[in-house]
Amino acid sequence: MKLIHCPKVGTRPASEFVYGGLWRPMPDPDSTTDMEWSHYVFHRDGAPGVQREWWCHAPTGMWFVAERDTMKDEFLRTMTVAEAMKDLAHG
Amino acid sequence: MPLRLLKNAFSDAPDPRFFNTPRGLRDSYDVVIIGGGGHGLACAYYLARDHGITNVAVLEQGYIGGGNTGRNTTIVRSNYLTPEGVKFYDESVRLFQDLAEDFDLNIFYSERGHFTLAHTDAAMRTMRWRAEVNKHFGIDSEVVDRDTIAEAVPMMDLDCGGEHPVLGALYHAPGAVVRHDAVAWGYGRGADKRGVEIHQKTRVTGIRVVQGKVTGVETDRGVIKTGKVISMVAGSTPRVTKMAGITTPIVIHPLQACVTEPMKPWLDTIIVSGSLHVYVSQSSRGELVMGAALDPAILHSTRSTLDFVEGLADQMLDLFPFLGNSKVMRQWAGMADMTPDFAPIMGRTAVDGFYIDAGWGTWGFKATPVSGKTMAWTVANDKDHALIEPFSLARFDRFELVGERGAASVGH
């Protein structure tokens, strides 16, 4: 069975986890144009590669961030939201 | 057809091959189509037949119809929810009905009738809404009650074990199944006869764009000069649009399907349940062709999983408990281009000469003829065809989504 590691809950079967979409910074809605906003809302890179995603451990409701290779379906790293935010702040 | 059979029975010469294999790539083409699936071959066919554009190359990285054209569950229907969708798919069903004659090839078009089951009051409301939209556009579509379903499908447990009883269904008499390979081959042969070159095992590695205009395509067999490129690849769209330097809302999710061992005919209609996330029909060989919802997370892979078969079997047994002992023979997956509004993305793009026919998610096969026809018109006239105007890539910048989710979300 495929396992996923949640930084708070530990390693659990994949069936307990829910995918929550891409993790990406939101532009400031007050200072973006309509075009930039529509790109943020709808457009995605979409190409295969390593991406950061929201994942949720459903039984505990714990959200965290995972780095996953979308070509191989491999989890490379998981981190708490706080850790991911820190990465974002450091660019 | 029978005469040809008889002739071949007394002859040593093999039947001529469906396609020529062109020797090498030429230096330039008027139009290059990326992707030799149903859509790409249909576009090439209509470009040659209706617009006289025959200096066309279809580039396919694998083999003809080896992608999602050969991986879908072959259902054709037009009972969608939005007026844009209904008009578009209705034209496709009409084209499908004449295809066998167009091609002089049996595509095994079999009208079965299509039940979309409703298990909740909310689902019944959507069915009534869909039926009214459908009827408004002259499409044979109606809401039916439990008794009608019981009569048509006596093997079904309408109470689903008591958990989610069927309340009624949307019935669409023209719903059909078609042999998907034959559709691709028919279009391929028709295009080939008219001078289109179909290059299999030719992978596109780059698209040359100079000052916002397409000038050529790079492949693993050399560079081609062309002013018009159409991307008609299911599941690889983001890789191709990246080459042209544009982004789209498309993300890739796998869609899985499977077939059981062959059994005696017992199901002559197509059954879909959005609430149970399943759809099933029985092929002419007797196999049950079954599918379910998309895999939840983005993935660029055609691997299949045990989770899928377990989940599907669980739901299927609610509907048809007697299938408990039947065996699953094969399972497979295709990569589906998903869009936020469950409608396709078609037509011109911000790059001059780069056209897109994508976002075909889980509903691409039934649109094969009309996509080919409207995209051929669009490329020949460099103007979006009226039927595909609502599906332009620019709709997202205008926040004008098409909202087809209610009728398209279960992959079929």
Side-chain angles (χ1 to χ4, degrees), chain B residues 182-261:
Chain B
V183 173
W185 296 336
Y187 275 125
R189 182 173 71 173
D192 178 81
K193 264 188 195 161
R194 291 170 173 83
V196 170
E197 289 184 9
I198 300 167
H199 293 274
Q200 303 186 69
K201 294 183 201 153
T202 307
R203 179 191 291 264
V204 171
T205 54
I207 295 171
R208 294 194 173 169
V209 179
V210 178
Q211 290 174 339
K213 195 172 175 351
V214 167
T215 60
V217 172
E218 296 163 15
T219 76
D220 56 1
R221 294 173 59 205
V223 179
I224 305 166
K225 272 186 269 175
T226 183
K228 290 182 174 183
V229 173
I230 322 170
S231 171
M232 307 189 90
V233 292
S236 301
T237 303
R239 300 183 219 197
V240 175
T241 51
K242 208 169 192 177
M243 294 175 197
I246 61 170
T247 62
T248 70
I250 293 171
V251 292
I252 308 299
H253 288 254
L255 178 70
Q256 302 193 48
C258 63
V259 295
T260 64
E261 58 192 332

Side-chain angles (χ1 to χ4, degrees), chain B residues 45-271:
Chain B
Y45 174 85
Y46 291 114
L47 272 173
R49 194 194 78 174
D50 297 353
H51 304 283
I53 302 173
T54 55
N55 186 18
V56 176
V58 178
L59 308 181
E60 166 57 49
Q61 65 169 350
Y63 57 94
I64 283 174
N68 289 359
T69 298
R71 293 167 194 268
N72 57 68
T73 46
T74 77
I75 297 168
V76 171
R77 65 185 174 91
S78 63
N79 57 349
Y80 274 70
L81 178 63
T82 63
E84 297 88 344
V86 170
K87 276 192 274 187
F88 183 77
Y89 292 105
D90 186 42
E91 178 63 22
S92 204
V93 170
R94 263 198 297 249
L95 287 168
F96 258 121
Q97 288 164 345
D98 295 332
L99 271 192
E101 207 157 317
D102 268 15
F103 294 164
D104 188 22
L105 178 71
N106 188 356
I107 61 167
F108 293 83
Y109 190 89
S110 165
E111 275 190 10
R112 299 287 183 89
H114 182 283
F115 285 96
T116 313
L117 305 178
H119 304 260
T120 61
D121 287 335
M124 278 306 283
R125 263 199 307 279
T126 311
M127 298 313 161
R128 280 195 285 271
W129 177 9
R130 274 169 72 177
E132 292 309 316
V133 175
N134 294 165
K135 281 185 222 165
H136 181 72
F137 290 100
I139 286 159
D140 188 352
S141 179
E142 57 177 333
V143 174
V144 295
D145 61 7
R146 273 169 67 101
D147 294 342
T148 315
I149 306 169
E151 207 173 304
V153 197
M155 311 296 264
M156 188 191 297
D157 176 8
L158 282 169
D159 292 327
C160 291
E163 271 195 53
H164 20 236
V166 175
L167 304 180
L170 182 68
Y171 179 64
H172 179 47
V177 289
V178 192
R179 178 138 185 242
H180 47 204
D181 301 311
V183 173
W185 296 336
Y187 275 125
R189 182 173 71 173
D192 178 81
K193 264 188 195 161
R194 291 170 173 83
V196 170
E197 289 184 9
I198 300 167
H199 293 274
Q200 303 186 69
K201 294 183 201 153
T202 307
R203 179 191 291 264
V204 171
T205 54
I207 295 171
R208 294 194 173 169
V209 179
V210 178
Q211 290 174 339
K213 195 172 175 351
V214 167
T215 60
V217 172
E218 296 163 15
T219 76
D220 56 1
R221 294 173 59 205
V223 179
I224 305 166
K225 272 186 269 175
T226 183
K228 290 182 174 183
V229 173
I230 322 170
S231 171
M232 307 189 90
V233 292
S236 301
T237 303
R239 300 183 219 197
V240 175
T241 51
K242 208 169 192 177
M243 294 175 197
I246 61 170
T247 62
T248 70
I250 293 171
V251 292
I252 308 299
H253 288 254
L255 178 70
Q256 302 193 48
C258 63
V259 295
T260 64
E261 58 192 332
M263 51 187 89
K264 283 182 182 174
W266 61 270
L267 181 68
D268 60 359
T269 63
I270 304 160
I271 303 291

Side-chain angles (χ1 to χ4, degrees), chain A residues 38-83:
Chain A
S38 78
H39 271 246
Y40 164 69
V41 174
F42 298 119
H43 283 237
R44 300 288 181 270
D45 178 341
V50 175
Q51 62 181 30
R52 286 202 171 178
E53 302 166 338
W54 284 103
W55 281 81
C56 177
H57 180 247
T60 56
M62 177 62 68
W63 284 94
F64 60 98
V65 177
E67 249 176 43
R68 192 173 61 101
D69 184 331
T70 59
M71 197 77 165
K72 300 179 188 153
D73 198 16
E74 270 175 19
F75 285 80
L76 305 177
R77 208 179 133 198
T78 54
M79 63 201 96
T80 62
V81 176
E83 282 166 350

Side-chain angles (χ1 to χ4, degrees), chain B residues 108 110 112 177 179 262-263 265 281-287 289:
Chain B
F108 293 83
S110 165
R112 299 287 183 89
V177 289
R179 178 138 185 242
M263 51 187 89
S281 65
Q282 190 170 22
S283 75
S284 47
R285 278 185 298 207
E287 301 158 333
V289 185

Side-chain angles (χ1 to χ4, degrees), chain B residues 288-308:
Chain B
L288 293 183
V289 185
M290 305 183 290
L294 285 170
D295 283 14
I298 290 176
L299 186 63
H300 298 260
S301 163
T302 50
R303 62 100 178 87
S304 46
T305 63
L306 180 63
D307 287 1
F308 157 74

Side-chain angles (χ1 to χ4, degrees), chain B residues 355-405:
Chain B
Y355 304 85
I356 187 170
D357 170 59
W360 281 110
T362 62
W363 48 90
F365 174 65
K366 64 178 72 63
T368 302
V370 71
S371 296
K373 200 164 185 180
T374 53
M375 285 306 293
W377 193 94
T378 300
V379 171
N381 295 289
D382 197 26
K383 184 174 180 292
D384 286 345
H385 187 283
L387 272 179
I388 67 168
E389 271 172 11
F391 305 129
S392 77
L393 177 57
R395 76 177 182 269
F396 298 99
D397 297 332
R398 298 191 299 262
F399 297 90
E400 285 173 1
L401 275 58
V402 181
E404 199 54 271
R405 184 167 194 158

Side-chain angles (χ1 to χ4, degrees), chain A residues 2-54:
Chain A
K2 196 173 160 181
L3 302 172
I4 296 177
H5 179 78
C6 166
K8 292 280 189 197
V9 180
T11 305
R12 307 287 307 162
S15 56
E16 292 183 10
F17 292 87
V18 180
Y19 171 71
L22 274 184
W23 160 272
R24 56 220 173 97
M26 184 176 83
D28 176 15
D30 293 330
S31 62
T32 48
T33 62
D34 280 359
M35 188 67 112
E36 284 164 351
W37 186 251
S38 78
H39 271 246
Y40 164 69
V41 174
F42 298 119
H43 283 237
R44 300 288 181 270
D45 178 341
V50 175
Q51 62 181 30
R52 286 202 171 178
E53 302 166 338
W54 284 103

